[in-house]
């Protein structure tokens, strides 16, 4: 699945103190228990909160409202909250724009621009890479929907650069309808709206034909084509001809796809060929199909071939990234005239770094490679001869490659201490030039050092850990420390600049990022070692990183906060139930906590290839062993936890957070709070308006500051970059 206010000194001096110092608000009534038992492979599992899975049950809504009221009472009264609000608002409302998702076709370069106080990114025409005054707005979702709740999911230019298809969704649902816009006039073409192209389960994609008269697109079931339970699955590929009703769109591909298919579409520069890469859910298995000039689709690769991506070259060939007998990736050249794998040749064999993407130009291949967290951009010619590395920032992230001319490229590069910016690499002289598409830093982090180290996990595996701290920070065990991680779905956690991390550091904190198994940091073996029945390795890796921070005197358990979202929210649930003594505060965002019931949800079905299924005896055993809601123990002193959820979340059903909060509130022997922050107007995080994001971060940081006993110090704000021009 494939983007910030002046305050008075008096206000800033308000202290943040522990909640224990004041009178704690009354807790809401305990959730009702309704005994339900299910037997899996001879094991009977009790589920007293299964009734909370229904979002439409008035009792569930009443309970959620009571929890929100309790959370608001607790958080809103925290001393020092308003100075934090002012600082967070200042940082997240920083007016220097950021740019993402650049794409060029037919000499037209488009990109997404986010510039507060706009609530959502806008789609712009980039008039010049060196002069932002020449850009113009093409699609502004806040004009389409003045509530600020509509966002652009993605866009795709036609090959001549004259039209652009734009998927937009509302309220965090990720349910995107595609409209077509004229690039010259910035007007939506009348009667061109294709519904349900994008979704929160299988995503969405689109590829134009050669003449720009239509496009292939991903289509979810419509109307009564399938029962309600199947309307977020069974994605297929259809073709839409401009100027015709979408009801007359024609079927192209997908009747034989798996129920949990996720399809990415991409066409060649001339529009004569189109790839359909079809994922079998989230586990990393792919089929590859090719549509050619004859108008037919042929299958190029099956799951067993382990082809994970494909890009069209300029030499009549496609370049495939394969992990067959090469878990870190090898590159194959496939002639389009004979598109069968037996005609493919190895251009780049497996190396030490993990190849994550291949971008062919006229005379070379650019390889995006992962190095255990940080990444690099390597070059070879079309025969595989090494051409060196493109110069990038140290300990940084590289991505977003866009071809320019014959062999030049644009790429985005950023680090923990420098905001991401777009750079131009010219092949002729090997020079890298920073473009004007670069955000300035709201906090100067030049006095921050990044320590790259390794923790030793339970089974002896070395786990990369990046630690950010101000130069001169004393390792005396007293530093408030924030640790985060993810560990799943072949996703690597890359270095990235965050102004809120900068705020944490300027308050004397330490910030750490763990690169856990389950990600793509070291190839497919690293991913597999943290998935299915090996998922416990992820939690062991995280605990090892937490222990390192304590053992090496960065912090101590009561001063260690941990945070994660989605699969990282599951990580938080496992961390706090397996080692509650290790953490001083936990922030678990939109997480999965009932591993025995998640596959019953639409997106949970896609997760089966990553997590496993209760239908398989061994996978059930592994799931039940770490499922957070089932590992909560009565009478345990749990650390304070803030759970967040979004009612419109298409990826993780909010019932996970409801059930986990109910179980923990009933079990904990600690006076520390177990809080639920359930937002009725957001989803998994995508498309969240700026104002809503600010409110959530104010809650998160005031909670963590309070639970770690921190006092917000405005005089610590010494290095703040000059405000950008208005």
């Amino acid at each position: 699945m494939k983007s910030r206010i002046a305050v008075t000194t008096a206000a800033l001096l308000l202290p943040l103190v522990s909640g224990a110092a004041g009178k704690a608000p009354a807790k809401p009534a305990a959730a009702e228990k309704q005994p339900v038992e299910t037997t899996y492979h001879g094991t009977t599992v009790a589920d007293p909160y299964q009734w909370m899975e229904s979002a439409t049950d008035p009792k569930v809504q009443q309970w959620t409202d009571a929890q929100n009221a309790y959370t608001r009472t607790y958080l809103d009264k925290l001393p020092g909250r308003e100075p934090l609000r002012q600082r967070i608002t200042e940082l997240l409302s920083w007016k220097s724009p950021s740019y993402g998702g650049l794409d060029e076709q037919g000499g037209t370069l488009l990109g997404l621009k986010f510039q507060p106080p706009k609530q959502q990114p806008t789609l712009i025409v980039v008039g010049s890479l060196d002069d932002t005054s020449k850009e113009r707005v093409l699609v502004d979702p806040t004009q389409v929907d003045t509530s600020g709740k509509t966002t652009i999911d993605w866009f795709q230019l036609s090959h001549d650069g004259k039209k652009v298809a734009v998927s937009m969704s509302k309220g965090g649902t990720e349910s995107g309808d595609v409209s077509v816009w004229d690039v010259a006039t910035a007007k939506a073409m009348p009667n061109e709206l294709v519904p349900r192209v994008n979704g929160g389960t299988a995503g969405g994609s689109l590829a134009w034909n050669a003449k720009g008269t239509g496009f292939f697109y991903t289509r979810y079931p419509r109307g009564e084509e399938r029962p309600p339970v199947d309307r977020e699955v069974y994605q297929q590929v259809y073709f839409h001809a401009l100027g015709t009703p979408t009801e007359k769109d024609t079927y192209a591909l997908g009747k034989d796809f798996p129920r949990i298919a996720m399809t990415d579409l991409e066409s060649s520069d001339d529009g004569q060929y189109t790839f359909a890469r079809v994922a079998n859910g989230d586990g990393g298995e792919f089929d590859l199909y090719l549509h050619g000039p004859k108008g037919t689709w042929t299958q190029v690769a099956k799951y067993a071939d382990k082809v994970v991506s494909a890009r069209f070259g300029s030499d009549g060939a496609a370049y495939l990234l394969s992990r067959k007998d090469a878990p870190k990736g090898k590159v194959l050249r496939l002639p389009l005239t004979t598109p069968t794998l037996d005609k493919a040749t190895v251009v780049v064999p497996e190396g030490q770094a993990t190849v994550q993407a291949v971008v062919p130009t006229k005379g070379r291949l650019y390889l995006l490679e992962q190095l255990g967290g940080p990444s690099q951009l390597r070059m070879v010619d079309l025969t595989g001869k090494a051409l060196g590395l493109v110069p990038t920032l140290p300990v940084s992230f590289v991505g977003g490659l866009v071809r320019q001319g014959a062999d030049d490229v644009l790429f985005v590069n950023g680090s923990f201490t420098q905001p991401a910016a777009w750079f131009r690499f010219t092949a002729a002289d090997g020079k890298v030039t920073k473009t004007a598409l670069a955000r300035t830093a709201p906090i100067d982090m030049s006095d921050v050092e990044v320590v790259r180290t390794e923790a030793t996990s339970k089974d002896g595996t070395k786990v990369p850990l990046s630690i950010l701290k101000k130069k001169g920070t004393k390792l005396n065990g007293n530093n408030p420390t924030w640790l985060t991680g993810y560990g799943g779905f072949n996703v690597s956690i890359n270095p990235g600049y965050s102004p809120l991390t900068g705020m944490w550091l300027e308050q004397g904190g330490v910030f750490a990022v763990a690169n856990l198994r389950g990600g793509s940091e070291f190839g497919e073996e690293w991913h597999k070692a943290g998935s299915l029945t090996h998922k416990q390795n992820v939690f062991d890796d995280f605990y090892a990183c937490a222990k390192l921070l304590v053992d090496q005197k960065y912090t101590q358990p009561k001063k260690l906060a941990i945070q994660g979202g989605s699969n990282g929210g599951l990580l938080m649930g496992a961390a706090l139930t397996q080692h509650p003594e290790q953490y001083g505060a936990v922030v678990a965002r939109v997480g999965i906590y009932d591993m025995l019931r998640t596959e019953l949800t639409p997106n949970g079905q896609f997760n089966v290839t990553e997590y496993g299924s209760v239908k398989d005896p061994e996978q059930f055993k592994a799931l039940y062993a770490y499922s957070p809601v089932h590992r909560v123990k009565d009478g345990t002193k749990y650390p304070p936890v803030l759970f967040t959820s979004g009612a419109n979340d298409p990826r993780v059903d909010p019932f996970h957070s409801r059930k986990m909060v109910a179980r923990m509130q009933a079990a904990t022997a600690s006076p520390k709070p177990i809080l639920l922050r359930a937002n009725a107007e957001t989803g998994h995080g995508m498309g969240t308006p700026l104002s809503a994001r600010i409110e959530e971060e104010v809650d998160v940081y005031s909670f963590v500051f309070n639970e770690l006993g921190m006092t917000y110090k405005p005089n610590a704000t010494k290095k703040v970059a000059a405000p950008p021009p208005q």
Side-chain angles (χ1 to χ4, degrees), residues 653-677:
D653 195 298
F655 81 63
H656 286 278
S657 295
R658 293 194 292 265
K659 293 175 73 172
M660 189 67 175
V661 168
R663 179 70 184 100
M664 288 198 69
Q665 287 181 346
T668 187
S670 168
K672 298 294 185 179
I674 308 296
L675 304 175
L676 174 64
R677 187 187 191 277

Side-chain angles (χ1 to χ4, degrees), residues 5 41 92 122 248 288 306 367 372 379 562 629 633 658:
I5 311 215
H41 311 289
L92 296 189
T122 58
K248 293 186 178 181
L288 184 66
K306 297 186 179 181
L367 308 175
M379 301 171 289
I562 59 174
V629 75
K633 296 180 181 178
R658 293 194 292 265

Side-chain angles (χ1 to χ4, degrees), residues 336-353:
L336 293 174
T337 54
T338 55
T340 56
L341 282 185
D342 61 330
K343 300 298 192 298
T345 56
V346 177
V347 179
V348 182
E350 183 182 30
Q352 292 300 309

Side-chain angles (χ1 to χ4, degrees), residues 440-519:
T440 61
I443 291 182
D444 180 358
M445 293 175 65
S446 61
D447 60 347
V448 172
E449 60 180 330
V450 179
V451 178
R452 286 280 292 169
T453 187
E454 291 179 329
T456 302
S457 195
K458 184 177 181 179
D459 63 358
T461 298
K462 299 298 183 182
V463 182
L465 182 66
S466 297
I467 304 171
L468 282 65
K469 63 184 181 69
K470 287 291 188 80
K471 295 174 182 176
T473 297
K474 295 180 180 179
L475 303 188
N476 55 14
N478 290 321
N479 303 300
T481 298
W482 197 301
L483 172 64
T484 188
Y486 188 77
F489 296 91
N490 226 346
V491 172
S492 61
I493 302 300
N494 303 306
Y497 177 92
S498 166
L500 297 184
T501 298
M503 180 188 75
W504 178 259
L505 295 172
E506 72 184 9
Q507 293 296 312
V510 172
F511 187 84
V513 179
N515 291 106
L516 312 169
R517 278 177 283 185

